[in-house]
């Protein structure tokens, strides 16, 4: 893992000192809320429905055990005993008191964490594949690239007041686990003729106007990555709409000007600034890559795992859903579900955070990852340790065997917390998970991604859910629209709206009808929901959702 340099530590300490003084002025009444707002947003502090919310950056989703324990401390000391892991691989604290926030930031700095640029019209936390450095299918670990971009973008003087927020995601595999096609810039590590480089996508994004990113450049060399990405952001910074925030994102700029014109402008800008990159960035990148060297994997028998898998059906069910193939023989990637049936998706208590930190320290080479799907990953675990780990997870409510299944739901905080939300998300997710647990259909259904957003901003990624749910306000009443067929992988697609929305008390039965229609129409257990939808189209699902008159009206 990357460790702070003296410069990094001094930079964060000075930012925290400045913000402490700003908070003191606000508490004393010397700053109005309007004057304080841009200052707090630069430090990740939001004002939500009921209280302030602090969003802490977890760069490219990577933590060590000490950092996870410190996140637990913040939850216990300054919040209500839990934190919420988000689709941006961040953690949010929903109940801090304003005078305490400077102390929280200082505590984060003790373990090389901060909240800088987790809000505002800047380049946000750079996200990455949560299996980075461990997956058997990756070309190269994408985290050094993400760290290089983090250092370049933090407090970049040109990019602190962009037309709108800007999000970058990086993956090292052809199997996209970072949803790069739904980001302002998506970066894929690729190899060409033995050389590592980067495929650059631009103009993706969800929200009010969802779009799939387009390929801007098939291959950018390592030496050219920073000036090329800087050229993309600079071109958008000049062209981006500042007259209308709903048209300010780069996806709209790409749509209005066309990908060919954007490419022409980026290439021209790149040609101008490339000579100013002296090579220091290349030297820096080499040092960063060294910090992400793989751990010393051990070699020993997996007999303990093999026996448990054969004899313990509960362990086997967990292993079948929650483990992923590791690059090293005898190892596995462990996905810890934060989606126990009926729980709030993405929430973890302080005690659970400490348990996961202990497991990482004793069994996982001191590494944890946060996924954009709001779960926690132990990326490097020897299979012989898995039965013991599973037993510990069970004791702390962390052994739910549902990764990728219908109850592994992505959900934004919705109207329970967010000032922008127009409907509740969390209770809908809880009730769907509980209902299918009652029906005992979850494993029969198989892989199915449900994603829920409580407003048009789409923080729950509903557009790319196999089943997407969007909560809206219709004359003061919650109304839930359903989309089908979305996909956030390398085959990214936006879901198709089924028709009229459903009231709060109708949405869970509606999802049940969709799933039962899938079970009735699929070719067999081997055909996933998404594959069946692509084969069948939307018609049989509309028929299950609505009566004949409503189906014709929606067409």
């Amino acid at each position: 893992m990357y460790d702070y340099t003296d410069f990094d530590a001094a930079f964060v300490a000075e930012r925290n000192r400045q913000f402490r003084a700003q908070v003191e002025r606000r508490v004393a009444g010397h700053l109005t809320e309007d004057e304080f707002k841009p200052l707090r947003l630069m430090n990740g502090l939001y004002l939500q429905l009921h209280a302030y919310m602090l969003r802490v950056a977890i760069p490219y989703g990577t933590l060590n055990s000490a950092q996870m324990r410190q996140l637990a401390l913040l939850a216990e000391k300054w919040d209500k005993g839990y934190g919420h892991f988000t689709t941006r691989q961040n953690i949010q604290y929903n109940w801090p008191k304003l005078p305490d926030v400077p102390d929280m930031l200082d505590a984060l700095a003790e373990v090389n964490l901060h909240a800088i640029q987790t809000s505002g019209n800047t380049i946000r936390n750079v996200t990455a594949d949560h299996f980075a450095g461990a997956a058997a299918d990756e070309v190269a670990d994408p985290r050094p690239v993400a760290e290089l971009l983090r250092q370049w973008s933090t407090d970049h003087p040109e990019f602190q007041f962009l037309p709108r927020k800007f999000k970058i995601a990086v993956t090292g595999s052809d199997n996209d686990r970072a949803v790069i096609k739904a980001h302002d810039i998506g970066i894929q590590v690729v190899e060409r003729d033995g050389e590592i480089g980067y495929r650059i996508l631009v103009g993706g994004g969800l929200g009010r106007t969802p779009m799939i990113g387009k390929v801007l450049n098939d291959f950018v060399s390592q030496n050219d990555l920073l000036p090329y990405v800087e050229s993309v952001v600079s071109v958008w910074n000049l062209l981006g709409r500042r007259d209308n925030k709903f048209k300010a994102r780069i996806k709209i700029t790409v749509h209005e000007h066309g990908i060919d014109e954007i490419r022409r402008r980026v290439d021209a800008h790149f040609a101008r600034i490339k000579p100013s990159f002296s090579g220091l960035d290349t030297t820096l990148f080499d040092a960063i890559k060294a910090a992400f060297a793989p751990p010393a994997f051990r070699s020993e028998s997996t007999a303990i795992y093999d026996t448990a898998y054969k004899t313990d059906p509960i362990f086997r069910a967990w292993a079948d859903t929650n483990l992923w193939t590791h690059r090293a023989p005898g190892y596995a990637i462990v996905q810890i579900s934060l989606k126990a049936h009926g729980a709030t998706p993405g929430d973890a208590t302080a005690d659970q955070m400490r348990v996961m930190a202990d497991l990482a320290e004793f069994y996982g080479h001191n590494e944890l990852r946060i996924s954009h799907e709001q779960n926690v990953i132990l990326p490097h675990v020897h299979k012989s340790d898995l039965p013991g780990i599973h037993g510990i997870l069970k004791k702390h409510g962390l052994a739910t065997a549902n990764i990728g299944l219908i109850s592994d739901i992505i959900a934004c905080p919705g109207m329970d917390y967010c000032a922008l939300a127009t409907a509740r998300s969390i209770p809908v997710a809880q009730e769907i998970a509980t209902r299918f647990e009652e029906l005992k259909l979850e494993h029969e259904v198989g892989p199915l991604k449900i994603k829920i957003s409580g407003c048009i901003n789409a923080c729950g990624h509903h557009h790319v859910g196999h089943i997407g749910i969007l909560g809206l306000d219709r004359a003061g009443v919650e109304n839930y629209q359903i989309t089908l067929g979305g996909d956030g992988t390398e085959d990214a697609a936006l879901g198709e709206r089924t028709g009229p929305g459903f009231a709060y008390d109708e949405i869970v039965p509606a999802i049940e009808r969709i799933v039962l229609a899938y079970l009735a129409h699929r070719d067999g257990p081997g055909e996933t929901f998404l594959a069946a939808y692509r084969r069948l189209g939307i018609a049989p699902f509309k028929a299950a959702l609505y009566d004949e008159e409503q189906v014709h009206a929606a067409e």
Side-chain angles (χ1 to χ4, degrees):
M1 283 182 60
Y2 178 80
D3 197 17
Y4 274 17
T5 64
D6 290 343
F7 172 85
D8 296 325
F11 174 84
V12 173
E14 176 59 18
R15 280 291 295 263
N16 289 353
R17 185 196 65 77
Q18 292 172 0
F19 189 57
R20 182 179 292 276
Q22 293 160 359
V23 169
E24 289 171 353
R25 291 164 65 199
R26 173 69 185 116
V27 171
H30 301 315
L31 290 175
T32 66
E33 176 53 37
D34 286 343
E35 292 169 330
F36 183 56
K37 181 178 179 179
L39 303 175
R40 62 172 169 78
L41 288 178
M42 291 176 71
N43 293 278
L45 188 63
Y46 289 74
L47 185 57
Q48 299 283 67
L49 273 178
H50 312 294
Y52 284 102
M53 179 270 282
L54 180 66
R55 179 181 291 158
V56 176
I58 302 175
Y60 36 88
T62 295
L63 290 169
N64 60 33
S65 298
Q67 289 171 328
M68 182 66 98
R69 291 191 185 101
Q70 198 77 336
L71 295 180
L73 174 68
L74 265 68
E76 201 166 62
K77 186 172 182 180
W78 291 296
D79 206 279
K80 293 189 175 183
Y82 66 94
H84 176 72
F85 291 102
T86 78
T87 56
R88 293 296 303 162
Q89 298 178 312
N90 297 313
I91 186 171
Q92 294 181 175
Y93 297 98
N94 290 311
W95 301 100
K97 295 179 175 62
L98 180 58
D100 292 335
V101 173
D103 290 338
M104 297 174 74
L105 295 177
D106 284 346
L108 290 168
E110 292 174 4
V111 292
N112 296 355
L113 291 173
H114 61 76
I116 299 168
Q117 291 182 205
T118 58
S119 58
N121 293 337
T122 61
I123 297 173
R124 300 288 186 88
N125 184 39
V126 178
T127 59
D129 180 356
H130 43 273
F131 296 163
D137 59 4
E138 71 180 9
V139 173
D141 189 339
R143 291 176 301 158
V145 176
E147 173 59 27
L148 180 70
L149 292 169
R150 183 194 71 82
Q151 294 190 28
W152 160 80
S153 63
T154 300
D155 221 25
H156 192 300
E158 186 180 343
F159 303 143
Q160 293 306 297
F161 299 96
L162 294 168
R164 200 73 172 85
K165 58 189 174 181
F166 198 87
K167 299 176 180 179
I168 301 174
V170 191
T171 184
S173 170
D174 287 337
N175 299 306
D176 181 13
R177 291 177 289 264
V179 202
I180 64 171
K181 291 185 177 180
H183 281 76
D184 298 294
I185 291 180
I187 300 175
Q188 179 187 355
V189 183
V190 293
E191 185 176 359
R192 188 178 70 182
D193 299 328
E195 179 187 357
I196 295 294
Y198 309 98
R199 184 170 181 247
I200 309 297
L201 295 93
V202 67
L206 303 179
R208 185 177 298 268
T209 311
M211 294 184 182
I212 299 299
K214 300 175 175 63
V215 176
L216 187 66
N217 195 318
D218 267 321
F219 191 88
V220 174
S221 70
Q222 287 191 355
N223 290 347
D224 289 344
L225 180 64
L226 269 193
Y228 192 85
V229 172
E230 178 155 320
S231 298
V232 175
V233 184
S234 295
V235 166
W236 171 64
N237 198 20
L238 290 171
L239 291 179
R241 299 276 297 271
R242 285 181 164 85
D243 61 322
N244 185 338
K245 73 175 185 177
F246 301 122
K247 297 182 178 181
R249 298 291 292 271
I250 195 172
K251 61 187 177 184
I252 304 298
T253 306
V254 172
H255 177 72
E256 289 181 341
H257 292 268
I259 189 66
D260 291 335
E261 174 62 12
I262 296 299
R263 185 181 294 112
R264 185 191 70 78
R265 289 174 180 259
V266 169
D267 288 346
H269 192 89
F270 173 76
R272 287 196 299 273
I273 71 169
K274 168 61 178 171
S276 66
F277 281 74
S278 63
L280 178 63
D281 51 305
T282 304
T283 304
L284 173 64
F285 191 31
D286 289 340
I288 290 172
K289 283 191 285 187
F292 290 95
F297 298 123
R298 71 183 199 262
S299 178
E300 63 181 75
S301 170
T302 62
I304 295 173
Y305 166 83
D306 298 333
T307 299
Y309 187 86
K310 291 175 183 177
T311 60
D312 184 345
I314 295 175
F315 175 76
R316 181 167 59 249
W318 176 79
D320 286 344
T321 55
N322 290 36
L323 301 184
W324 195 266
T325 305
H326 196 281
R327 60 187 291 188
Y331 272 74
I333 299 169
V334 177
Q335 301 176 82
I336 302 173
S337 174
L338 299 185
K339 315 283 181 62
H341 299 98
T344 300
D347 277 10
T349 67
D351 286 343
Q352 288 175 327
M353 290 184 216
R354 290 191 182 99
V355 167
M356 292 186 285
D358 290 346
L359 290 175
E361 182 173 10
F362 294 115
Y363 301 109
H365 297 276
N366 202 33
E367 283 193 42
L368 304 106
R369 308 285 167 74
I370 309 303
S371 76
H372 79 272
E373 295 180 321
Q374 299 175 288
N375 293 313
V376 177
I377 316 298
L378 298 175
H380 310 297
V381 176
H382 195 274
K383 287 185 176 181
S384 62
D385 294 324
L386 289 171
I389 288 172
H390 179 249
I392 295 169
L393 292 173
K394 279 199 299 184
K395 292 178 183 177
H396 297 276
L398 292 168
T400 306
N402 67 341
I403 295 293
L405 303 182
I406 199 168
S407 63
D408 184 15
I409 298 170
I410 289 179
C412 72
M415 210 160 57
D416 287 295
Y417 296 100
C418 182
L420 300 177
T422 49
R424 289 169 289 175
S425 298
I426 293 171
V428 175
Q430 292 170 322
E431 290 177 27
I432 291 172
T434 301
R435 177 57 180 158
F436 281 92
E437 172 68 4
E438 292 170 349
L439 294 171
K440 303 300 180 188
L441 280 177
E442 187 162 36
H443 290 269
E444 172 68 17
V445 171
L448 175 54
K449 295 183 181 294
I450 295 181
K451 306 185 181 188
I452 306 173
S453 300
C455 79
I456 199 70
N457 290 304
C459 294
H461 295 187
H462 68 277
H463 294 293
V464 291
H466 301 165
I467 299 176
I469 302 172
L470 168 62
L472 298 170
D473 182 313
R474 291 283 186 255
V477 177
E478 289 168 295
N479 183 272
Y480 294 86
Q481 293 180 355
I482 296 174
T483 54
L484 298 177
D487 185 2
T489 70
E490 60 279 2
D491 299 317
L494 301 174
E496 181 180 359
R497 184 179 166 189
T498 59
F502 296 86
Y504 177 81
D505 60 355
E506 298 173 333
I507 185 61
V508 177
I511 300 304
E512 184 176 334
R513 293 199 297 278
I514 290 171
V515 174
L516 293 177
Y518 153 66
L519 292 175
H521 288 91
R522 69 182 181 180
D523 273 348
E527 185 176 43
T528 65
F529 177 89
L530 186 58
Y533 177 82
R534 288 174 172 170
R535 176 176 61 85
L536 296 165
I538 201 169
F541 301 99
K542 275 189 176 182
L545 280 173
Y546 309 105
D547 60 35
E548 187 174 345
E549 185 176 327
Q550 287 177 305
V551 171
H552 290 312
E555 291 175 345

